Every structure is written in structure tokens, then in C-alpha cells.
Amino acid sequence: QVQLVESGGGLVQAGGPLRLSCVASGRTSSIVRMGWYRQAPGKQRELVAIIRSGGTISYADTVKGRFTISRDNAKNTVYLQMNNLKPEDTAVYYCLAQRFGADYWGQGTQVTVSS
């Protein structure tokens, strides 16, 4: 099992920055992908950014150029630096880890961007 704990959410004005963190614990060896998804009210959960064990990264088109995902393997932590936030970025952000074909999710952290 892998446990994930997110932190760093909150209320920010449009144009401002915010950084999310996700710490993995438990069976963290062989985690092949970690990333962030988000879910806004009334919408489906969607991919924000993924970083693979080899270092390749993918972003949703809506966040390219504004968000940066990074990973500290020594700390079993993945970060999401969010800049130039927009009201449409308001959502609950969930951390994901994938290991041996299984998906593990954090409890989510709320990000609210005011206009």
C-alpha cells in the first residue's frame, strides 16, 4: 500500500502562485508515476500533470507554461508549482501514485482562486 498526503492548498487571488506538495509513504519503491489531478464542482476529475520515474513529464494543455511538476525521490515527494493562477483553476487537487498497476490517491487539497 501507498499512502499519500497532500498539502499547500488554499485561497489565492488570480495571478498569484501556490505550491502543492504530496508526500508518499508505505511501499514507495517501484512507484512508476506520480502526478496531480483536479476535480471542480460538477466536473469530472482531470489530469493536471504527471511525472514518470524516467523523468518524462506531461501537462494538461490548460496549465502548460503556468504549472511545473517536480519530484524529490529522496523525500518521496512530488510538487506542483502553480503560477499565474486563474479562477478556472479552482478545484480539489488530488495526488496520484501508480505502482505495479495500482492507483493510489491522496485525500485532496482545495485550491480556490478568487477573481
Side-chain angles (χ1 to χ4, degrees):
Q1 293 286 348
V2 177
Q3 293 79 43
L4 302 171
V5 178
E6 302 107 331
S7 61
L11 174 64
V12 63
Q13 287 189 335
L18 209 58
R19 189 174 88 149
L20 305 182
S21 301
C22 172
V23 180
S25 61
R27 297 180 180 266
T28 58
S29 62
S30 301
I31 289 177
V32 296
R33 288 196 288 181
M34 292 190 75
W36 294 92
Y37 280 67
R38 67 186 181 186
Q39 188 167 17
K43 295 188 176 181
Q44 290 189 332
R45 193 172 296 190
E46 63 178 6
L47 170 71
V48 177
I50 283 283
I51 183 166
R52 299 168 183 83
S53 57
T56 58
I57 290 172
S58 299
Y59 293 101
D61 288 342
T62 52
V63 306
K64 281 181 182 177
R66 300 188 298 121
F67 291 11
T68 302
I69 189 171
S70 61
R71 182 174 175 179
D72 185 333
N73 290 326
K75 296 181 178 180
N76 292 317
T77 301
V78 65
Y79 304 96
L80 185 68
Q81 177 66 45
M82 305 184 292
N83 295 327
N84 190 22
L85 281 160
K86 303 176 180 181
E88 51 264 42
D89 294 317
T90 295
V92 178
Y93 284 69
Y94 296 92
C95 181
L96 165 74
Q98 294 178 325
R99 179 179 185 271
F100 293 127
D103 290 347
Y104 300 91
W105 295 93
Q107 81 286 354
T109 185
Q110 176 71 46
V111 171
T112 302
V113 184
S114 63
S115 57

